[in-house]
Amino acid sequence: MLQYSRTKTVGVQKQGEDRRVVSGVLEDELYAMQCEIAVDWPTLTIESVQARMKRFTTLRCVRAEQVFEKAQGWRIDSELDGRIKKELGRYGCRHMAALMIDCCRTLARA
């Protein structure tokens, strides 16, 4: 019998020659959230981040919707994972931070 299930999906869309949009969704019994990151392709600079918490456990989780907007202007580079965890995950939602990291890694692979 299945005791726990988590689904995480990440996709990359090409929107013109110089823009990519990465969308991520995470759902399990406790959490449901979405993250969308628009990135300038040649410079790998984050143009915008939209975080949406649909199901969460604490009020701290909801702060992700505002906190994660601070990533606008950040570059996707080797130090981004730590920066997301330290500057966004600590003050917002650590699960959303993990989803955002997965989105950025997927973009790098795409």
Side-chain angles (χ1 to χ4, degrees), residues 13-50:
Q13 302 169 17
K14 182 178 178 182
Q15 295 184 347
E17 291 300 316
D18 60 350
R19 185 167 192 201
R20 303 294 185 269
V21 176
V22 187
S23 302
V25 177
L26 181 147
E27 291 201 36
D28 61 23
E29 284 81 14
L30 297 174
Y31 299 99
M33 60 191 73
Q34 296 174 314
C35 179
E36 186 173 285
I37 307 168
V39 178
D40 179 68
W41 186 242
T43 63
L44 295 177
T45 302
I46 296 173
E47 295 176 346
S48 66
V49 177
Q50 293 178 336

Short mmCIF file of all heavy atoms in Angstrom, two decimals, residues 13-50:
data_model
loop_
_atom_site.label_atom_id
_atom_site.label_comp_id
_atom_site.label_asym_id
_atom_site.label_seq_id
_atom_site.Cartn_x
_atom_site.Cartn_y
_atom_site.Cartn_z
N GLN A 13 10.22 26.16 -21.51
CA GLN A 13 9.60 26.67 -22.74
C GLN A 13 10.54 27.68 -23.38
O GLN A 13 11.09 28.55 -22.69
CB GLN A 13 8.28 27.36 -22.45
CG GLN A 13 7.26 26.52 -21.77
CD GLN A 13 6.10 27.36 -21.29
OE1 GLN A 13 5.90 28.49 -21.71
NE2 GLN A 13 5.33 26.81 -20.38
N LYS A 14 10.70 27.60 -24.66
CA LYS A 14 11.48 28.58 -25.41
C LYS A 14 10.50 29.66 -25.88
O LYS A 14 9.55 29.36 -26.59
CB LYS A 14 12.17 27.91 -26.59
CG LYS A 14 13.03 28.83 -27.40
CD LYS A 14 13.71 28.07 -28.52
CE LYS A 14 14.54 29.01 -29.36
NZ LYS A 14 15.17 28.30 -30.49
N GLN A 15 10.75 30.89 -25.49
CA GLN A 15 9.90 32.00 -25.91
C GLN A 15 10.76 33.01 -26.65
O GLN A 15 11.26 33.96 -26.06
CB GLN A 15 9.20 32.65 -24.71
CG GLN A 15 8.22 31.72 -24.04
CD GLN A 15 7.45 32.40 -22.93
OE1 GLN A 15 7.79 33.47 -22.46
NE2 GLN A 15 6.40 31.74 -22.48
N GLY A 16 10.96 32.76 -27.92
CA GLY A 16 11.86 33.60 -28.71
C GLY A 16 13.29 33.13 -28.58
O GLY A 16 13.59 32.16 -27.89
N GLU A 17 14.19 33.83 -29.24
CA GLU A 17 15.60 33.44 -29.23
C GLU A 17 16.29 33.74 -27.91
O GLU A 17 17.25 33.07 -27.55
CB GLU A 17 16.34 34.14 -30.37
CG GLU A 17 15.94 33.64 -31.74
CD GLU A 17 16.21 32.15 -31.92
OE1 GLU A 17 17.30 31.69 -31.53
OE2 GLU A 17 15.33 31.45 -32.45
N ASP A 18 15.82 34.75 -27.18
CA ASP A 18 16.55 35.19 -26.00
C ASP A 18 15.78 35.08 -24.69
O ASP A 18 16.09 35.77 -23.72
CB ASP A 18 17.02 36.64 -26.19
CG ASP A 18 15.88 37.60 -26.40
OD1 ASP A 18 14.73 37.15 -26.59
OD2 ASP A 18 16.13 38.82 -26.38
N ARG A 19 14.78 34.19 -24.66
CA ARG A 19 14.01 34.04 -23.42
C ARG A 19 13.59 32.59 -23.24
O ARG A 19 13.15 31.93 -24.16
CB ARG A 19 12.78 34.93 -23.46
CG ARG A 19 12.02 34.90 -22.16
CD ARG A 19 11.01 35.99 -22.09
NE ARG A 19 10.57 36.04 -20.70
CZ ARG A 19 9.47 36.57 -20.30
NH1 ARG A 19 8.68 37.16 -21.14
NH2 ARG A 19 9.14 36.55 -19.04
N ARG A 20 13.73 32.12 -21.98
CA ARG A 20 13.26 30.80 -21.60
C ARG A 20 12.41 30.96 -20.35
O ARG A 20 12.68 31.80 -19.49
CB ARG A 20 14.42 29.85 -21.27
CG ARG A 20 15.44 29.67 -22.39
CD ARG A 20 14.85 28.96 -23.59
NE ARG A 20 15.83 28.68 -24.61
CZ ARG A 20 16.14 29.48 -25.62
NH1 ARG A 20 15.54 30.65 -25.73
NH2 ARG A 20 17.03 29.12 -26.51
N VAL A 21 11.37 30.15 -20.25
CA VAL A 21 10.52 30.14 -19.06
C VAL A 21 10.51 28.72 -18.52
O VAL A 21 10.20 27.77 -19.23
CB VAL A 21 9.08 30.61 -19.38
CG1 VAL A 21 8.19 30.50 -18.15
CG2 VAL A 21 9.09 32.05 -19.88
N VAL A 22 10.87 28.60 -17.25
CA VAL A 22 10.91 27.30 -16.58
C VAL A 22 9.75 27.25 -15.60
O VAL A 22 9.57 28.16 -14.79
CB VAL A 22 12.23 27.10 -15.81
CG1 VAL A 22 12.32 25.69 -15.28
CG2 VAL A 22 13.41 27.44 -16.68
N SER A 23 8.96 26.19 -15.68
CA SER A 23 7.82 26.01 -14.79
C SER A 23 8.01 24.74 -13.98
O SER A 23 8.38 23.71 -14.53
CB SER A 23 6.52 25.89 -15.59
OG SER A 23 6.35 27.03 -16.40
N GLY A 24 7.75 24.84 -12.69
CA GLY A 24 7.87 23.69 -11.81
C GLY A 24 6.64 23.54 -10.94
O GLY A 24 6.04 24.53 -10.52
N VAL A 25 6.25 22.29 -10.69
CA VAL A 25 5.10 21.98 -9.84
C VAL A 25 5.53 20.88 -8.87
O VAL A 25 6.15 19.91 -9.29
CB VAL A 25 3.89 21.50 -10.67
CG1 VAL A 25 2.73 21.11 -9.76
CG2 VAL A 25 3.46 22.56 -11.66
N LEU A 26 5.19 21.05 -7.59
CA LEU A 26 5.45 20.03 -6.58
C LEU A 26 4.13 19.80 -5.84
O LEU A 26 3.48 20.75 -5.43
CB LEU A 26 6.52 20.50 -5.59
CG LEU A 26 6.89 19.51 -4.49
CD1 LEU A 26 8.36 19.66 -4.13
CD2 LEU A 26 6.04 19.67 -3.25
N GLU A 27 3.77 18.51 -5.72
CA GLU A 27 2.56 18.16 -4.97
C GLU A 27 2.79 16.89 -4.18
O GLU A 27 3.37 15.93 -4.69
CB GLU A 27 1.37 17.97 -5.91
CG GLU A 27 0.91 19.26 -6.54
CD GLU A 27 -0.51 19.20 -7.06
OE1 GLU A 27 -1.34 18.54 -6.43
OE2 GLU A 27 -0.76 19.83 -8.09
N ASP A 28 2.35 16.91 -2.93
CA ASP A 28 2.31 15.72 -2.10
C ASP A 28 1.13 15.87 -1.13
O ASP A 28 0.28 16.73 -1.35
CB ASP A 28 3.64 15.44 -1.39
CG ASP A 28 4.07 16.55 -0.44
OD1 ASP A 28 3.22 17.33 0.03
OD2 ASP A 28 5.28 16.62 -0.14
N GLU A 29 1.09 15.07 -0.09
CA GLU A 29 -0.05 15.12 0.83
C GLU A 29 -0.11 16.44 1.62
O GLU A 29 -1.18 16.88 2.01
CB GLU A 29 -0.01 13.95 1.82
CG GLU A 29 -0.44 12.64 1.20
CD GLU A 29 0.68 11.96 0.41
OE1 GLU A 29 1.86 12.35 0.54
OE2 GLU A 29 0.37 11.04 -0.36
N LEU A 30 1.03 17.06 1.86
CA LEU A 30 1.07 18.29 2.65
C LEU A 30 1.19 19.56 1.81
O LEU A 30 0.62 20.58 2.17
CB LEU A 30 2.26 18.25 3.62
CG LEU A 30 2.24 17.15 4.67
CD1 LEU A 30 3.54 17.16 5.45
CD2 LEU A 30 1.06 17.33 5.60
N TYR A 31 1.93 19.49 0.73
CA TYR A 31 2.26 20.69 -0.03
C TYR A 31 1.77 20.61 -1.47
O TYR A 31 1.75 19.55 -2.08
CB TYR A 31 3.78 20.90 -0.07
CG TYR A 31 4.40 21.08 1.28
CD1 TYR A 31 5.01 20.02 1.93
CD2 TYR A 31 4.35 22.31 1.92
CE1 TYR A 31 5.57 20.17 3.18
CE2 TYR A 31 4.92 22.48 3.17
CZ TYR A 31 5.52 21.42 3.80
OH TYR A 31 6.07 21.58 5.03
N ALA A 32 1.45 21.79 -2.00
CA ALA A 32 1.18 21.95 -3.42
C ALA A 32 1.66 23.34 -3.79
O ALA A 32 1.24 24.33 -3.17
CB ALA A 32 -0.30 21.78 -3.74
N MET A 33 2.57 23.43 -4.75
CA MET A 33 3.14 24.73 -5.11
C MET A 33 3.56 24.76 -6.56
O MET A 33 3.76 23.71 -7.19
CB MET A 33 4.34 25.04 -4.21
CG MET A 33 5.46 24.03 -4.30
SD MET A 33 6.71 24.22 -3.02
CE MET A 33 5.83 23.62 -1.61
N GLN A 34 3.67 25.98 -7.08
CA GLN A 34 4.10 26.20 -8.45
C GLN A 34 5.16 27.30 -8.46
O GLN A 34 5.10 28.23 -7.67
CB GLN A 34 2.95 26.66 -9.33
CG GLN A 34 1.85 25.66 -9.48
CD GLN A 34 0.68 26.24 -10.25
OE1 GLN A 34 0.23 27.35 -9.98
NE2 GLN A 34 0.17 25.47 -11.19
N CYS A 35 6.08 27.20 -9.39
CA CYS A 35 7.13 28.20 -9.56
C CYS A 35 7.32 28.42 -11.05
O CYS A 35 7.37 27.45 -11.82
CB CYS A 35 8.42 27.69 -8.92
SG CYS A 35 9.81 28.81 -9.07
N GLU A 36 7.39 29.67 -11.46
CA GLU A 36 7.66 29.99 -12.86
C GLU A 36 8.77 31.03 -12.91
O GLU A 36 8.66 32.08 -12.25
CB GLU A 36 6.41 30.51 -13.55
CG GLU A 36 6.62 30.73 -15.04
CD GLU A 36 5.33 31.07 -15.75
OE1 GLU A 36 4.52 30.16 -15.96
OE2 GLU A 36 5.16 32.26 -16.06
N ILE A 37 9.82 30.73 -13.64
CA ILE A 37 10.99 31.60 -13.72
C ILE A 37 11.23 31.96 -15.17
O ILE A 37 11.42 31.09 -16.02
CB ILE A 37 12.24 30.88 -13.16
CG1 ILE A 37 11.97 30.34 -11.76
CG2 ILE A 37 13.45 31.80 -13.18
CD1 ILE A 37 13.03 29.38 -11.27
N ALA A 38 11.23 33.26 -15.46
CA ALA A 38 11.56 33.76 -16.79
C ALA A 38 13.03 34.16 -16.78
O ALA A 38 13.49 34.85 -15.87
CB ALA A 38 10.69 34.95 -17.16
N VAL A 39 13.77 33.69 -17.81
CA VAL A 39 15.22 33.89 -17.84
C VAL A 39 15.64 34.46 -19.18
O VAL A 39 15.20 34.00 -20.24
CB VAL A 39 15.95 32.54 -17.61
CG1 VAL A 39 17.45 32.69 -17.69
CG2 VAL A 39 15.55 31.93 -16.29
N ASP A 40 16.51 35.47 -19.13
CA ASP A 40 17.14 35.99 -20.35
C ASP A 40 18.18 34.96 -20.77
O ASP A 40 19.10 34.65 -20.00
CB ASP A 40 17.79 37.35 -20.07
CG ASP A 40 18.48 37.90 -21.29
OD1 ASP A 40 17.77 38.27 -22.25
OD2 ASP A 40 19.73 37.93 -21.30
N TRP A 41 18.03 34.40 -21.96
CA TRP A 41 18.85 33.26 -22.36
C TRP A 41 20.32 33.58 -22.56
O TRP A 41 21.18 32.87 -22.05
CB TRP A 41 18.24 32.61 -23.60
CG TRP A 41 18.94 31.36 -23.99
CD1 TRP A 41 19.61 31.13 -25.15
CD2 TRP A 41 19.09 30.17 -23.20
NE1 TRP A 41 20.15 29.87 -25.15
CE2 TRP A 41 19.84 29.26 -23.95
CE3 TRP A 41 18.67 29.80 -21.93
CZ2 TRP A 41 20.18 27.99 -23.49
CZ3 TRP A 41 19.00 28.54 -21.47
CH2 TRP A 41 19.74 27.66 -22.25
N PRO A 42 20.68 34.61 -23.29
CA PRO A 42 22.13 34.81 -23.48
C PRO A 42 22.88 35.09 -22.18
O PRO A 42 23.99 34.59 -21.97
CB PRO A 42 22.22 36.00 -24.41
CG PRO A 42 20.89 36.12 -25.05
CD PRO A 42 19.91 35.57 -24.06
N THR A 43 22.29 35.84 -21.27
CA THR A 43 23.01 36.23 -20.05
C THR A 43 22.68 35.32 -18.86
O THR A 43 23.32 35.43 -17.82
CB THR A 43 22.66 37.67 -19.65
OG1 THR A 43 21.26 37.76 -19.33
CG2 THR A 43 23.02 38.64 -20.76
N LEU A 44 21.67 34.45 -18.98
CA LEU A 44 21.20 33.59 -17.90
C LEU A 44 20.82 34.40 -16.65
O LEU A 44 21.09 34.01 -15.52
CB LEU A 44 22.23 32.52 -17.55
CG LEU A 44 22.50 31.49 -18.65
CD1 LEU A 44 23.59 30.53 -18.21
CD2 LEU A 44 21.23 30.73 -18.99
N THR A 45 20.17 35.53 -16.89
CA THR A 45 19.72 36.41 -15.82
C THR A 45 18.23 36.18 -15.59
O THR A 45 17.45 36.16 -16.54
CB THR A 45 19.98 37.88 -16.17
OG1 THR A 45 21.37 38.05 -16.42
CG2 THR A 45 19.54 38.81 -15.04
N ILE A 46 17.84 36.04 -14.32
CA ILE A 46 16.44 35.82 -13.99
C ILE A 46 15.68 37.13 -14.17
O ILE A 46 16.02 38.15 -13.55
CB ILE A 46 16.29 35.30 -12.54
CG1 ILE A 46 16.95 33.92 -12.43
CG2 ILE A 46 14.82 35.26 -12.13
CD1 ILE A 46 17.02 33.38 -11.01
N GLU A 47 14.69 37.12 -15.04
CA GLU A 47 13.88 38.31 -15.30
C GLU A 47 12.74 38.43 -14.31
O GLU A 47 12.38 39.53 -13.89
CB GLU A 47 13.33 38.29 -16.72
CG GLU A 47 14.39 38.36 -17.78
CD GLU A 47 13.82 38.23 -19.19
OE1 GLU A 47 12.65 37.82 -19.35
OE2 GLU A 47 14.55 38.55 -20.14
N SER A 48 12.13 37.29 -13.96
CA SER A 48 11.03 37.30 -13.00
C SER A 48 10.85 35.92 -12.40
O SER A 48 11.20 34.92 -13.01
CB SER A 48 9.73 37.77 -13.66
OG SER A 48 9.30 36.83 -14.62
N VAL A 49 10.29 35.91 -11.18
CA VAL A 49 9.95 34.67 -10.49
C VAL A 49 8.55 34.82 -9.94
O VAL A 49 8.24 35.80 -9.27
CB VAL A 49 10.92 34.35 -9.32
CG1 VAL A 49 10.48 33.09 -8.60
CG2 VAL A 49 12.34 34.22 -9.81
N GLN A 50 7.72 33.85 -10.25
CA GLN A 50 6.37 33.83 -9.68
C GLN A 50 6.25 32.53 -8.90
O GLN A 50 6.38 31.45 -9.46
CB GLN A 50 5.31 33.90 -10.76
CG GLN A 50 5.29 35.21 -11.51
CD GLN A 50 4.25 35.22 -12.60
OE1 GLN A 50 3.85 34.19 -13.11
NE2 GLN A 50 3.80 36.40 -12.95
#
